[in-house]
Amino acid sequence: MKVTAVLLAAGQGTRMRSDLPKVLHAMCGQPMIYYAIQAAQAASTETPVVVVGHGADAVKDFVHDSARLVFQEKQLGTGHAVLQAESLLRGKSDYIIVTCADMPLLRAETLSRLVETQGANPGPITLLTVITRDPRGFGRVVRGADGSVQAIVEEAAATPEQLKIKELNASAYCFSANWLWAALHRIPISKKGEYYLTDTVELAVKAGLPVQALHLDDPLETIGINTRVHLAEAETAMRQRINTAHMLAGVTIIDPQTTYIEAGVTLGRDSILWPNTYLQGGTRIGERCEIGPNSLIRDTVIGNNCVVLASVLEGASLEDDVDVGPFAHLRKGAHLCTGVHMGNFGEVKDSTLGPGTKMGHFSYIGNAAIGANVNIGAGTITCNYDGVRKHPTHIGDDVFIGSDTMLVAPVKLGDRSRTGAGAVVTKNVPEDALVVGMPARAIKKLDKKEDVS
Ligand code: UD1
Ligand code: CA
Protein backbone atom coordinates (compact mmCIF):
# COMPACT_ATOMS: atom_id res chain seq x y z
CA MET A 1 0.00 0.00 0.00
CA LYS A 2 1.50 3.29 -1.11
CA VAL A 3 0.84 6.45 0.88
CA THR A 4 2.07 9.87 -0.26
CA ALA A 5 1.75 13.15 1.63
CA VAL A 6 1.06 16.43 -0.15
CA LEU A 7 1.95 19.52 1.90
CA LEU A 8 0.43 22.83 0.92
CA ALA A 9 2.83 25.75 1.10
CA ALA A 10 2.09 28.01 -1.84
CA GLY A 11 0.26 30.77 -0.01
CA GLN A 12 1.90 34.11 0.58
CA GLY A 13 1.35 34.24 4.31
CA THR A 14 0.51 37.93 4.03
CA ARG A 15 -0.31 38.26 7.72
CA MET A 16 3.23 37.36 8.74
CA ARG A 17 4.24 40.73 7.23
CA SER A 18 7.54 39.31 6.17
CA ASP A 19 9.90 39.02 3.21
CA LEU A 20 10.52 35.41 4.21
CA PRO A 21 8.05 32.77 2.96
CA LYS A 22 5.81 31.81 5.88
CA VAL A 23 6.86 28.16 6.06
CA LEU A 24 10.52 29.17 6.45
CA HIS A 25 9.94 31.09 9.67
CA ALA A 26 11.84 29.28 12.39
CA MET A 27 10.40 27.56 15.43
CA CYS A 28 12.67 25.91 18.00
CA GLY A 29 15.57 26.21 15.56
CA GLN A 30 13.95 24.80 12.41
CA PRO A 31 11.73 26.33 9.73
CA MET A 32 8.15 25.26 10.41
CA ILE A 33 8.06 23.24 7.18
CA TYR A 34 10.77 20.98 8.66
CA TYR A 35 8.29 19.62 11.22
CA ALA A 36 5.59 19.13 8.58
CA ILE A 37 8.00 17.19 6.36
CA GLN A 38 9.21 15.06 9.28
CA ALA A 39 5.67 14.10 10.26
CA ALA A 40 4.73 13.47 6.62
CA GLN A 41 7.76 11.24 6.06
CA ALA A 42 6.99 9.19 9.15
CA ALA A 43 3.34 8.64 8.18
CA SER A 44 3.81 7.85 4.48
CA THR A 45 5.67 5.36 2.32
CA GLU A 46 6.80 7.73 -0.45
CA THR A 47 8.80 10.97 -0.47
CA PRO A 48 6.40 13.83 0.41
CA VAL A 49 5.37 16.42 -2.18
CA VAL A 50 5.33 20.11 -1.28
CA VAL A 51 3.19 22.53 -3.28
CA VAL A 52 5.12 25.79 -3.54
CA GLY A 53 4.30 29.18 -5.01
CA HIS A 54 5.35 32.31 -3.16
CA GLY A 55 9.05 32.15 -2.27
CA ALA A 56 9.42 28.84 -4.13
CA ASP A 57 13.18 29.15 -4.58
CA ALA A 58 13.88 29.74 -0.90
CA VAL A 59 11.65 26.82 0.07
CA LYS A 60 13.41 24.65 -2.52
CA ASP A 61 16.82 25.53 -1.04
CA PHE A 62 15.70 24.38 2.37
CA VAL A 63 13.79 21.27 1.34
CA HIS A 64 16.54 19.76 -0.85
CA ASP A 65 15.80 16.06 -1.27
CA SER A 66 13.62 15.68 1.83
CA ALA A 67 10.60 16.31 -0.43
CA ARG A 68 9.57 16.70 -4.06
CA LEU A 69 8.27 20.09 -5.16
CA VAL A 70 5.45 21.04 -7.46
CA PHE A 71 4.75 24.61 -8.43
CA GLN A 72 1.39 26.35 -8.17
CA GLU A 73 1.67 29.44 -10.28
CA LYS A 74 -1.52 31.17 -9.12
CA GLN A 75 -2.97 30.56 -5.69
CA LEU A 76 -6.43 29.52 -6.76
CA GLY A 77 -7.29 27.67 -3.56
CA THR A 78 -6.43 24.54 -1.61
CA GLY A 79 -8.20 22.22 -4.08
CA HIS A 80 -6.30 23.73 -6.99
CA ALA A 81 -3.07 23.41 -4.98
CA VAL A 82 -3.50 19.65 -4.52
CA LEU A 83 -4.35 19.31 -8.21
CA GLN A 84 -0.82 20.47 -9.05
CA ALA A 85 0.49 17.17 -7.68
CA GLU A 86 -1.80 15.06 -9.89
CA SER A 87 0.56 14.54 -12.83
CA LEU A 88 3.36 13.51 -10.45
CA LEU A 89 1.28 11.14 -8.33
CA ARG A 90 -1.60 9.80 -10.44
CA GLY A 91 -1.41 6.00 -10.48
CA LYS A 92 1.61 6.03 -8.15
CA SER A 93 -0.10 6.04 -4.77
CA ASP A 94 -3.12 4.38 -3.12
CA TYR A 95 -3.68 7.02 -0.47
CA ILE A 96 -2.93 10.73 -0.43
CA ILE A 97 -2.45 12.58 2.85
CA VAL A 98 -3.04 16.31 2.47
CA THR A 99 -2.00 18.78 5.10
CA CYS A 100 -0.62 22.30 5.39
CA ALA A 101 3.05 23.04 5.84
CA ASP A 102 2.15 25.75 8.35
CA MET A 103 0.89 23.26 10.98
CA PRO A 104 4.18 22.34 12.64
CA LEU A 105 2.64 20.74 15.74
CA LEU A 106 0.71 18.09 13.87
CA ARG A 107 2.11 14.74 14.97
CA ALA A 108 3.16 11.89 12.72
CA GLU A 109 0.97 9.56 14.83
CA THR A 110 -2.07 11.68 14.00
CA LEU A 111 -1.38 11.42 10.27
CA SER A 112 -0.88 7.66 10.65
CA ARG A 113 -4.24 7.39 12.40
CA LEU A 114 -5.82 9.27 9.49
CA VAL A 115 -4.37 6.72 7.07
CA GLU A 116 -5.56 3.81 9.25
CA THR A 117 -9.06 5.25 9.54
CA GLN A 118 -9.24 5.80 5.79
CA GLY A 119 -8.01 2.23 5.24
CA ALA A 120 -11.20 1.01 6.93
CA ASN A 121 -13.48 3.59 5.28
CA PRO A 122 -15.58 2.42 2.34
CA GLY A 123 -15.82 6.09 1.30
CA PRO A 124 -13.03 8.26 -0.16
CA ILE A 125 -12.19 10.79 2.61
CA THR A 126 -11.11 10.86 6.23
CA LEU A 127 -10.63 14.29 7.70
CA LEU A 128 -9.22 15.50 10.98
CA THR A 129 -11.54 17.54 13.18
CA VAL A 130 -11.11 19.35 16.45
CA ILE A 131 -13.40 21.01 18.96
CA THR A 132 -12.13 24.27 20.44
CA ARG A 133 -13.67 27.36 21.96
CA ASP A 134 -11.77 29.69 19.62
CA PRO A 135 -12.86 29.00 16.01
CA ARG A 136 -9.76 30.80 14.58
CA GLY A 137 -11.46 31.25 11.22
CA PHE A 138 -11.53 27.50 10.58
CA GLY A 139 -14.10 25.78 8.40
CA ARG A 140 -17.09 24.30 10.28
CA VAL A 141 -17.91 20.61 10.04
CA VAL A 142 -21.59 20.23 9.21
CA ARG A 143 -23.13 16.94 10.31
CA GLY A 144 -26.50 15.45 9.35
CA ALA A 145 -29.25 14.25 11.70
CA ASP A 146 -27.62 10.80 11.76
CA GLY A 147 -24.30 12.34 12.81
CA SER A 148 -22.59 11.74 9.49
CA VAL A 149 -20.36 14.42 7.98
CA GLN A 150 -22.23 16.33 5.27
CA ALA A 151 -20.03 19.30 4.38
CA ILE A 152 -17.35 21.74 5.44
CA VAL A 153 -18.43 25.33 5.34
CA GLU A 154 -15.80 28.05 5.29
CA GLU A 155 -16.29 30.76 7.90
CA ALA A 156 -16.90 33.48 5.30
CA ALA A 157 -19.71 31.46 3.72
CA ALA A 158 -21.28 30.12 6.92
CA THR A 159 -24.81 30.96 8.11
CA PRO A 160 -25.19 32.32 11.67
CA GLU A 161 -26.40 28.83 12.69
CA GLN A 162 -23.34 27.16 11.11
CA LEU A 163 -20.99 29.66 12.75
CA LYS A 164 -22.05 28.23 16.11
CA ILE A 165 -20.73 24.78 15.20
CA LYS A 166 -17.82 23.89 17.48
CA GLU A 167 -16.36 21.07 15.39
CA LEU A 168 -13.75 22.50 13.06
CA ASN A 169 -11.82 21.28 10.03
CA ALA A 170 -8.17 21.05 11.03
CA SER A 171 -6.99 20.80 7.41
CA ALA A 172 -5.44 17.34 7.45
CA TYR A 173 -6.96 14.61 5.33
CA CYS A 174 -6.41 11.18 3.92
CA PHE A 175 -8.01 10.50 0.52
CA SER A 176 -8.31 7.44 -1.65
CA ALA A 177 -6.05 8.56 -4.47
CA ASN A 178 -8.04 7.60 -7.58
CA TRP A 179 -11.20 9.19 -6.27
CA LEU A 180 -9.32 12.36 -5.26
CA TRP A 181 -7.74 13.01 -8.66
CA ALA A 182 -11.12 12.74 -10.37
CA ALA A 183 -12.94 14.81 -7.74
CA LEU A 184 -10.49 17.71 -7.83
CA HIS A 185 -11.57 18.42 -11.43
CA ARG A 186 -15.19 18.64 -10.32
CA ILE A 187 -14.81 21.19 -7.50
CA PRO A 188 -17.02 24.22 -8.22
CA ILE A 189 -15.44 27.67 -8.10
CA SER A 190 -16.23 29.57 -4.90
CA LYS A 191 -17.59 33.12 -4.59
CA LYS A 192 -14.01 34.20 -3.89
CA GLY A 193 -12.91 32.62 -7.15
CA GLU A 194 -11.04 29.74 -5.48
CA TYR A 195 -11.29 25.97 -5.63
CA TYR A 196 -11.68 24.69 -2.10
CA LEU A 197 -10.35 21.25 -1.22
CA THR A 198 -13.03 21.16 1.46
CA ASP A 199 -15.70 20.96 -1.26
CA THR A 200 -14.60 17.39 -1.99
CA VAL A 201 -16.60 16.46 1.13
CA GLU A 202 -19.87 17.51 -0.47
CA LEU A 203 -18.91 15.75 -3.71
CA ALA A 204 -18.46 12.49 -1.81
CA VAL A 205 -21.69 12.91 0.18
CA LYS A 206 -23.68 13.66 -3.00
CA ALA A 207 -22.33 10.46 -4.54
CA GLY A 208 -23.53 8.55 -1.47
CA LEU A 209 -20.00 7.85 -0.24
CA PRO A 210 -19.33 8.11 3.52
CA VAL A 211 -16.87 10.70 4.84
CA GLN A 212 -15.07 9.77 8.04
CA ALA A 213 -14.00 12.28 10.67
CA LEU A 214 -11.12 11.52 13.02
CA HIS A 215 -11.52 13.57 16.15
CA LEU A 216 -8.39 14.99 17.73
CA ASP A 217 -8.23 15.58 21.47
CA ASP A 218 -5.24 17.92 21.53
CA PRO A 219 -6.22 21.18 19.79
CA LEU A 220 -2.62 22.40 20.05
CA GLU A 221 -1.67 20.03 17.24
CA THR A 222 -3.89 21.92 14.84
CA ILE A 223 -2.44 25.37 15.42
CA GLY A 224 -2.03 26.74 11.91
CA ILE A 225 0.32 29.66 11.72
CA ASN A 226 -1.00 32.80 10.08
CA THR A 227 0.60 35.53 12.20
CA ARG A 228 3.69 35.90 14.37
CA VAL A 229 1.39 35.69 17.38
CA HIS A 230 0.43 32.15 16.28
CA LEU A 231 4.12 31.45 15.67
CA ALA A 232 4.96 32.34 19.28
CA GLU A 233 2.09 30.16 20.56
CA ALA A 234 3.28 27.24 18.51
CA GLU A 235 6.88 27.79 19.57
CA THR A 236 5.86 27.64 23.23
CA ALA A 237 3.96 24.41 22.66
CA MET A 238 6.81 22.84 20.68
CA ARG A 239 9.33 23.88 23.33
CA GLN A 240 7.24 22.18 26.00
CA ARG A 241 7.04 19.07 23.88
CA ILE A 242 10.83 18.98 23.39
CA ASN A 243 11.55 19.65 27.10
CA THR A 244 9.09 16.97 28.19
CA ALA A 245 10.73 14.40 25.93
CA HIS A 246 14.17 15.17 27.43
CA MET A 247 12.83 15.00 30.99
CA LEU A 248 11.18 11.65 30.33
CA ALA A 249 14.50 10.45 28.92
CA GLY A 250 16.35 11.30 32.14
CA VAL A 251 17.39 14.96 31.95
CA THR A 252 16.60 17.26 34.88
CA ILE A 253 15.24 20.64 33.77
CA ILE A 254 14.98 22.92 36.78
CA ASP A 255 12.63 25.38 35.06
CA PRO A 256 11.21 24.21 31.73
CA GLN A 257 9.61 27.62 31.18
CA THR A 258 13.01 29.25 30.76
CA THR A 259 14.91 26.43 29.08
CA TYR A 260 15.12 26.67 25.30
CA ILE A 261 16.22 23.48 23.57
CA GLU A 262 16.12 23.37 19.79
CA ALA A 263 14.81 20.39 17.85
CA GLY A 264 18.17 18.91 16.82
CA VAL A 265 19.83 18.87 20.27
CA THR A 266 20.70 15.66 22.15
CA LEU A 267 21.28 15.29 25.91
CA GLY A 268 22.59 12.42 28.03
CA ARG A 269 21.04 10.92 31.16
CA ASP A 270 21.33 12.69 34.49
CA SER A 271 22.43 15.96 32.99
CA ILE A 272 20.94 18.99 34.73
CA LEU A 273 19.82 22.18 33.01
CA TRP A 274 19.54 25.33 35.10
CA PRO A 275 17.22 28.19 34.08
CA ASN A 276 17.77 30.53 31.18
CA THR A 277 19.72 28.02 29.17
CA TYR A 278 19.66 27.92 25.36
CA LEU A 279 20.78 24.78 23.57
CA GLN A 280 20.84 25.32 19.84
CA GLY A 281 21.67 23.84 16.44
CA GLY A 282 23.50 20.52 16.44
CA THR A 283 24.53 20.70 20.10
CA ARG A 284 25.15 17.31 21.72
CA ILE A 285 25.63 17.04 25.48
CA GLY A 286 26.74 13.93 27.34
CA GLU A 287 25.74 12.41 30.67
CA ARG A 288 25.91 13.97 34.14
CA CYS A 289 26.67 17.47 32.85
CA GLU A 290 25.49 20.60 34.58
CA ILE A 291 24.57 23.45 32.25
CA GLY A 292 23.57 26.99 33.22
CA PRO A 293 22.08 29.06 34.59
CA ASN A 294 22.40 31.67 31.85
CA SER A 295 24.20 29.76 29.15
CA LEU A 296 23.92 29.72 25.37
CA ILE A 297 25.38 26.69 23.63
CA ARG A 298 25.23 26.43 19.85
CA ASP A 299 26.58 23.67 17.57
CA THR A 300 28.80 22.40 20.36
CA VAL A 301 29.68 18.86 21.40
CA ILE A 302 30.14 18.26 25.13
CA GLY A 303 31.31 15.00 26.75
CA ASN A 304 30.33 13.56 30.13
CA ASN A 305 30.64 15.19 33.57
CA CYS A 306 31.13 18.74 32.26
CA VAL A 307 30.04 21.99 33.89
CA VAL A 308 29.13 25.10 31.91
CA LEU A 309 28.14 28.07 34.06
CA ALA A 310 26.88 31.36 32.62
CA SER A 311 28.83 31.03 29.39
CA VAL A 312 28.49 31.22 25.60
CA LEU A 313 29.77 28.29 23.54
CA GLU A 314 29.57 28.29 19.73
CA GLY A 315 31.02 25.63 17.46
CA ALA A 316 33.20 24.25 20.26
CA SER A 317 33.95 20.76 21.54
CA LEU A 318 34.60 19.68 25.11
CA GLU A 319 35.83 16.25 26.14
CA ASP A 320 34.93 14.77 29.55
CA ASP A 321 35.33 16.45 32.96
CA VAL A 322 35.72 19.96 31.57
CA ASP A 323 34.43 22.98 33.45
CA VAL A 324 33.95 26.44 32.00
CA GLY A 325 32.69 29.74 33.33
CA PRO A 326 31.26 31.82 34.68
CA PHE A 327 31.50 34.17 31.69
CA ALA A 328 33.57 32.10 29.30
CA HIS A 329 33.27 32.44 25.54
CA LEU A 330 34.21 29.47 23.38
CA ARG A 331 34.09 30.11 19.67
CA LYS A 332 34.41 28.07 16.49
CA GLY A 333 37.09 25.42 16.67
CA ALA A 334 37.72 25.68 20.41
CA HIS A 335 38.62 22.19 21.61
CA LEU A 336 39.00 21.57 25.33
CA CYS A 337 40.49 18.18 26.18
CA THR A 338 39.67 16.06 29.21
CA GLY A 339 39.93 17.82 32.56
CA VAL A 340 40.43 21.35 31.21
CA HIS A 341 39.42 24.13 33.60
CA MET A 342 38.50 27.46 32.06
CA GLY A 343 37.41 30.10 34.53
CA ASN A 344 35.95 33.54 34.08
CA PHE A 345 36.35 36.06 31.26
CA GLY A 346 38.25 33.82 28.86
CA GLU A 347 37.84 33.50 25.11
CA VAL A 348 39.11 30.56 23.05
CA LYS A 349 38.84 30.32 19.27
CA ASP A 350 40.34 27.79 16.80
CA SER A 351 42.53 26.37 19.53
CA THR A 352 43.13 23.16 21.44
CA LEU A 353 43.75 23.17 25.16
CA GLY A 354 45.43 19.86 26.10
CA PRO A 355 44.34 17.53 28.90
CA GLY A 356 44.40 19.07 32.36
CA THR A 357 45.32 22.55 31.13
CA LYS A 358 44.08 25.42 33.29
CA MET A 359 43.09 28.89 32.16
CA GLY A 360 41.60 30.58 35.19
CA HIS A 361 41.09 34.24 34.40
CA PHE A 362 40.90 36.91 31.66
CA SER A 363 42.62 35.36 28.65
CA TYR A 364 42.33 35.25 24.88
CA ILE A 365 43.60 32.14 23.13
CA GLY A 366 43.26 32.11 19.32
CA ASN A 367 44.85 29.86 16.67
CA ALA A 368 46.83 28.02 19.32
CA ALA A 369 47.78 24.42 20.01
CA ILE A 370 48.37 24.05 23.73
CA GLY A 371 49.69 20.87 25.33
CA ALA A 372 48.81 19.02 28.51
CA ASN A 373 48.89 20.43 32.04
CA VAL A 374 49.71 23.95 30.97
CA ASN A 375 48.97 26.79 33.37
CA ILE A 376 47.77 29.86 31.49
CA GLY A 377 48.18 32.80 33.85
CA ALA A 378 45.62 35.55 34.30
CA GLY A 379 45.53 38.01 31.41
CA THR A 380 47.46 35.90 28.92
CA ILE A 381 46.85 36.89 25.29
CA THR A 382 47.80 35.22 22.04
CA CYS A 383 48.50 38.16 19.74
CA ASN A 384 47.47 36.10 16.72
CA TYR A 385 46.54 38.82 14.25
CA ASP A 386 49.00 41.24 12.65
CA GLY A 387 46.28 43.24 10.93
CA VAL A 388 46.41 41.10 7.79
CA ARG A 389 46.85 37.47 8.74
CA LYS A 390 46.25 35.11 11.64
CA HIS A 391 49.34 33.33 12.99
CA PRO A 392 49.66 30.21 15.13
CA THR A 393 50.94 29.78 18.67
CA HIS A 394 52.33 26.43 19.83
CA ILE A 395 52.73 25.70 23.50
CA GLY A 396 54.20 22.39 24.70
CA ASP A 397 53.31 20.27 27.74
CA ASP A 398 53.74 21.40 31.36
CA VAL A 399 54.39 25.02 30.36
CA PHE A 400 53.75 27.79 32.88
CA ILE A 401 52.63 31.09 31.34
CA GLY A 402 52.99 33.94 33.79
CA SER A 403 50.21 36.47 34.30
CA ASP A 404 49.70 39.06 31.58
CA THR A 405 52.00 37.37 29.06
CA MET A 406 51.63 38.53 25.43
CA LEU A 407 52.42 35.71 23.00
CA VAL A 408 53.18 37.44 19.69
CA ALA A 409 52.42 34.84 16.99
CA PRO A 410 53.84 33.03 15.17
CA VAL A 411 55.62 31.70 18.21
CA LYS A 412 56.49 28.39 19.88
CA LEU A 413 57.08 27.63 23.53
CA GLY A 414 58.88 24.36 24.29
CA ASP A 415 57.84 21.81 26.92
CA ARG A 416 58.27 22.89 30.55
CA SER A 417 59.22 26.46 29.61
CA ARG A 418 58.02 29.42 31.72
CA THR A 419 57.29 33.07 31.10
CA GLY A 420 57.51 35.77 33.73
CA ALA A 421 54.60 38.07 34.54
CA GLY A 422 54.12 40.72 31.85
CA ALA A 423 56.45 39.05 29.34
CA VAL A 424 56.03 39.98 25.68
CA VAL A 425 57.19 36.87 23.85
CA THR A 426 58.25 37.60 20.27
CA LYS A 427 60.70 34.73 19.73
CA ASN A 428 60.43 30.98 20.13
CA VAL A 429 61.17 29.74 23.64
CA PRO A 430 63.24 26.56 23.95
CA GLU A 431 62.28 23.69 26.26
CA ASP A 432 62.98 24.25 29.94
CA ALA A 433 63.74 27.97 29.46
CA LEU A 434 62.46 30.89 31.54
CA VAL A 435 61.83 34.13 29.63
CA VAL A 436 60.94 37.53 31.08
CA GLY A 437 60.63 41.17 30.02
CA MET A 438 59.52 43.19 27.05
CA PRO A 439 60.29 41.98 24.50
CA ALA A 440 61.16 38.91 26.42
CA ARG A 441 64.81 37.79 26.26
CA ALA A 442 66.37 34.65 27.62
CA ILE A 443 67.96 35.04 31.01
CA LYS A 444 68.76 31.53 32.06
CA LYS A 445 68.55 27.85 31.24
CA LEU A 446 66.26 26.03 33.69
CA ASP A 447 67.52 22.97 35.47
CA LYS A 448 65.34 20.15 34.12
CA LYS A 449 64.75 18.86 37.64
CA GLU A 450 63.66 22.26 38.89
CA ASP A 451 60.07 22.08 40.10
CA VAL A 452 57.96 24.24 37.79
CA SER A 453 54.51 23.35 39.12
C1 UD1 B 1 -8.24 26.03 5.35
C2 UD1 B 1 -9.50 25.20 5.16
C3 UD1 B 1 -10.38 25.34 6.40
C4 UD1 B 1 -9.60 24.90 7.61
C5 UD1 B 1 -8.32 25.71 7.74
C6 UD1 B 1 -7.48 25.17 8.87
C7 UD1 B 1 -9.94 25.31 2.76
C8 UD1 B 1 -10.74 25.93 1.69
N1 UD1 B 1 -10.20 25.72 4.01
O1 UD1 B 1 -8.65 27.38 5.43
O2 UD1 B 1 -11.55 24.57 6.26
O3 UD1 B 1 -10.38 25.03 8.76
O4 UD1 B 1 -7.55 25.59 6.53
O5 UD1 B 1 -6.29 25.90 8.96
O6 UD1 B 1 -9.12 24.48 2.48
N2 UD1 B 1 -2.53 27.14 -0.11
C9 UD1 B 1 -1.88 26.86 -1.29
N3 UD1 B 1 -2.40 27.30 -2.46
C10 UD1 B 1 -3.56 27.99 -2.51
C11 UD1 B 1 -4.21 28.29 -1.30
C12 UD1 B 1 -3.70 27.84 -0.10
O7 UD1 B 1 -0.83 26.22 -1.28
O8 UD1 B 1 -3.99 28.33 -3.62
C13 UD1 B 1 -1.94 26.66 1.14
C14 UD1 B 1 -1.55 27.80 2.07
O9 UD1 B 1 -0.19 28.14 1.86
C15 UD1 B 1 -1.77 27.19 3.44
C16 UD1 B 1 -2.87 26.17 3.21
O10 UD1 B 1 -2.92 25.93 1.84
O11 UD1 B 1 -0.64 26.50 3.89
C17 UD1 B 1 -4.21 26.62 3.74
O12 UD1 B 1 -4.62 27.75 3.01
P1 UD1 B 1 -5.38 28.96 3.69
O13 UD1 B 1 -5.71 29.94 2.67
O14 UD1 B 1 -4.66 29.40 4.89
O15 UD1 B 1 -6.74 28.22 4.13
P2 UD1 B 1 -7.64 28.64 5.34
O16 UD1 B 1 -8.44 29.81 4.96
O17 UD1 B 1 -6.83 28.72 6.58
CA1 CA C 1 -4.62 29.11 7.24
Side-chain angles (χ1 to χ4, degrees):
M1 187 187 71
K2 289 188 173 176
V3 182
T4 311
V6 175
L7 304 176
L8 306 187
Q12 188 161 19
T14 319
R15 284 183 286 161
M16 294 297 280
R17 301 193 189 281
S18 175
D19 295 333
L20 192 67
K22 176 164 79 176
V23 295
L24 293 185
H25 280 261
M27 227 186 81
C28 297
Q30 292 288 347
M32 59 178 102
I33 193 172
Y34 162 90
Y35 301 99
I37 291 176
Q38 290 262 308
Q41 279 172 343
S44 54
T45 61
E46 316 298 302
T47 306
V49 174
V50 179
V51 183
V52 291
H54 285 278
D57 288 339
V59 177
K60 189 174 177 180
D61 285 347
F62 173 76
V63 164
H64 269 293
D65 46 11
S66 63
R68 296 172 277 175
L69 298 188
V70 295
F71 189 66
Q72 185 192 26
E73 199 165 337
K74 276 195 187 151
Q75 279 65 62
L76 297 177
T78 47
H80 180 261
V82 177
L83 193 56
Q84 308 311 303
E86 182 191 14
S87 53
L88 187 65
L89 298 181
R90 192 182 249 286
K92 304 254 169 63
S93 198
D94 304 300
Y95 293 101
I96 305 292
I97 297 170
V98 178
T99 166
C100 301
D102 60 2
M103 289 168 65
L105 294 165
L106 195 62
R107 288 187 154 95
E109 300 87 85
T110 303
L111 293 179
S112 297
R113 281 172 58 208
L114 273 179
V115 178
E116 263 168 48
T117 309
Q118 180 53 26
N121 181 11
I125 310 176
T126 300
L127 59 102
L128 189 67
T129 71
V130 64
I131 295 177
T132 59
R133 259 183 296 147
D134 173 11
R136 303 179 80 102
F138 281 24
R140 310 296 202 272
V141 178
V142 180
R143 289 187 183 258
D146 62 350
S148 64
V149 175
Q150 297 297 305
I152 297 169
V153 182
E154 291 308 302
E155 189 169 85
T159 64
E161 263 326 287
Q162 289 169 334
L163 284 177
K164 288 185 200 146
I165 297 173
K166 293 277 178 293
E167 189 178 11
L168 311 174
N169 172 32
S171 223
Y173 318 80
C174 181
F175 294 94
S176 293
N178 291 339
W179 185 87
L180 174 67
W181 302 129
L184 290 175
H185 292 279
R186 292 189 282 120
I187 294 176
I189 193 159
S190 76
K191 284 210 184 88
K192 277 175 77 186
E194 292 190 3
Y195 298 90
Y196 293 156
L197 180 63
T198 44
D199 284 346
T200 55
V201 171
E202 259 183 280
L203 290 176
V205 170
K206 277 189 187 143
L209 302 168
V211 172
Q212 280 288 336
L214 176 71
H215 182 70
L216 190 66
D217 294 324
D218 177 8
L220 275 179
E221 270 196 61
T222 64
I223 293 185
I225 291 161
N226 296 321
T227 69
R228 296 191 203 226
V229 176
H230 301 154
L231 182 64
E233 284 173 14
E235 168 117 23
T236 303
M238 181 63 83
R239 186 160 66 238
Q240 270 173 15
R241 203 185 267 184
I242 291 171
N243 286 352
T244 300
H246 286 297
M247 290 187 278
L248 292 175
V251 175
T252 294
I253 301 182
I254 306 287
D255 181 14
Q257 305 274 24
T258 61
T259 304
Y260 304 81
I261 308 174
E262 289 186 354
V265 171
T266 64
L267 280 150
R269 259 167 89 102
D270 290 321
S271 282
I272 299 174
L273 306 180
W274 289 91
N276 201 29
T277 285
Y278 300 76
L279 306 179
Q280 303 180 333
T283 293
R284 301 203 306 268
I285 295 178
E287 300 183 353
R288 298 174 301 282
C289 291
E290 208 162 329
I291 311 291
N294 305 326
S295 293
L296 190 154
I297 304 180
R298 169 156 208 90
D299 295 325
T300 291
V301 178
I302 297 182
N304 299 325
N305 306 311
C306 292
V307 176
V308 176
L309 169 60
S311 293
V312 175
L313 280 53
E314 306 162 283
S317 54
L318 279 58
E319 296 182 4
D320 297 339
D321 305 302
V322 172
D323 80 282
V324 305
F327 317 116
H329 188 190
L330 295 182
R331 291 167 53 207
K332 176 183 69 69
H335 180 80
L336 275 47
C337 295
T338 301
V340 164
H341 161 72
M342 179 176 167
N344 43 206
F345 309 109
E347 175 181 343
V348 176
K349 183 219 71 168
D350 271 327
S351 298
T352 298
L353 271 56
T357 284
K358 296 187 169 42
M359 169 176 161
H361 336 264
F362 323 106
S363 288
Y364 170 60
I365 301 295
N367 304 89
I370 298 180
N373 301 313
V374 171
N375 186 86
I376 301 169
T380 297
I381 305 284
T382 53
C383 311
N384 61 330
Y385 186 52
D386 60 12
V388 183
R389 240 174 270 132
K390 303 276 168 65
H391 299 284
T393 298
H394 289 273
I395 298 178
D397 296 336
D398 304 305
V399 172
F400 186 97
I401 311 281
S403 293
D404 218 12
T405 294
M406 302 293 123
L407 299 162
V408 183
V411 69
K412 286 185 182 168
L413 283 77
D415 292 346
R416 299 171 303 279
S417 59
R418 300 180 71 136
T419 72
V424 178
V425 183
T426 57
K427 295 200 179 83
N428 291 347
V429 179
E431 291 180 3
D432 304 297
L434 170 63
V435 297
V436 300
M438 189 200 88
R441 63 212 143 75
I443 55 165
K444 74 166 177 176
K445 179 89 179 159
L446 293 170
D447 178 351
K448 275 196 184 166
K449 282 171 207 120
E450 195 173 330
D451 182 15
V452 293
S453 64

